[in-house]
Amino acid sequence: MSTVKANGVSLGVESFGPEDAPLVLLAGGTTMLSWPDALCERLAAGGRRVVRYDLRDSGESTTADPEAPAYTLRDLARDAAALVHALGGGPAHLAGIGVGGMVAQVAALDHPEAFCALTLAGTRAIAPGPVDDDLPDHDPATMGRLFAHPMPDWTDRAAVAGFAATGAEILGDDPDAARATAGRVWDRTPGTAPPVQLANQLGMVFSALDCAPRWRERLPGDLAAHPRRPRPPRPVLPRRQRRGDRPRDPRRPAARPRGRRDGHPRLGGR
């Protein structure tokens, strides 16, 4: 792991794969450890240069005063674009998870020259405000269970790791892996102040969600005015009902043998 100067701040980064390969930039949510080691290694093995990084106020990146942050979500988006320029090899495939997903959405809209593709995981659409009715949102019952769980003592490493493991169980994830990752995040957090530990562990940032106008209003006219509704899934028919397995209609004439020349001359008799 190292740091790179971009947009006037230092950002903690870790690189996988050859430097001359196509760049994939992984925005942490908020720390780079939001992206599992094994995933980064697999992506790099596919012929990519994978760089995961810490957002501001997390991990090895620049830390501000949590009581008086002097940046917005748009600054975090500028960080991502500047990091691509500093690393070289752009435009990059940008991926964001959690809060990093919100940063990635704004970055792709604000800096289209820096990014060629966008992948989002475990995040929600930036409006600001509620998501549109044709877009998925977090499951209310699951979120209720998560927020009903009492917060730990953020200065206690073991308590924080246990808190992460319980949350993973609610989400259906591996609690042991979550416990281990939370411990690593705790060790990399710049300070033991509760607000800083909270931000690193839960993906909270100290920036204002300055992302207006809404992202759909910034798309080309047809897409913005007429959002595409999700199509209903196509039914999967039982095998006996699939075409080719259906009983043949006895009233239909028999098919001509292949290769005969008494058919249409332009079709070669077929």
Side-chain angles (χ1 to χ4, degrees), residues 13-224:
V13 302
E14 185 174 17
S15 184
F16 303 77
E19 293 191 359
D20 58 348
L23 177 61
V24 177
L25 186 65
L26 306 180
T30 57
T31 82
M32 67 171 69
L33 296 183
S34 304
W35 295 99
D37 301 348
L39 174 61
C40 297
E41 292 164 358
R42 287 289 298 275
L43 291 174
R48 301 171 181 85
R49 180 189 182 191
V50 179
V51 177
R52 60 182 180 181
Y53 77 99
D54 299 313
L55 300 185
R56 298 191 197 188
D57 287 308
S58 67
E60 301 295 328
S61 294
T62 294
T63 301
D65 180 1
E67 302 299 329
Y71 62 92
T72 69
L73 186 66
R74 280 219 148 84
D75 291 310
L76 298 179
R78 277 190 285 270
D79 291 349
L83 185 55
V84 170
H85 179 72
L87 295 171
H93 185 143
L94 176 62
I97 188 169
V99 173
M102 296 193 289
V103 173
Q105 291 173 61
V106 177
L109 288 168
D110 283 0
H111 309 280
E113 75 289 345
F115 307 106
C116 60
L118 177 65
T119 298
L120 305 173
T123 188
R124 68 195 301 268
I126 286 293
V131 297
D132 290 343
D133 58 4
D134 64 328
L135 293 175
D137 200 356
H138 297 310
D139 178 63
T142 302
M143 298 307 294
R145 292 179 61 196
L146 281 175
F147 286 112
H149 186 56
M151 293 288 181
D153 176 0
W154 295 104
T155 64
D156 185 337
R157 187 182 189 276
V160 171
F163 175 81
T166 301
E169 288 182 315
I170 294 173
L171 295 173
D173 295 331
D174 183 354
D176 293 332
R179 186 189 304 274
T181 300
R184 292 175 64 191
V185 172
W186 198 95
D187 293 337
R188 296 183 68 246
T189 299
T192 57
V196 178
Q197 284 288 346
L198 175 68
N200 278 246
Q201 293 287 346
L202 295 189
M204 301 172 64
V205 289
F206 303 140
S207 62
L209 295 181
D210 171 26
C211 51
R214 301 174 73 253
W215 65 271
R216 251 183 182 153
E217 296 168 359
R218 303 171 63 185
L219 296 174
D222 290 342
L223 293 176

Side-chain angles (χ1 to χ4, degrees), residues 253-268:
R256 292 176 177 173
R258 291 176 178 264
R260 289 185 59 177
R261 294 293 176 178
D262 55 354
H264 195 290
R266 296 186 64 184
L267 300 180

Side-chain angles (χ1 to χ4, degrees), residues 225-241:
H226 305 288
R228 176 178 292 181
R229 299 282 174 170
R231 294 181 178 179
R234 297 180 62 182
V236 179
L237 299 176
R239 181 167 178 78
R240 66 177 180 274
Q241 296 184 30

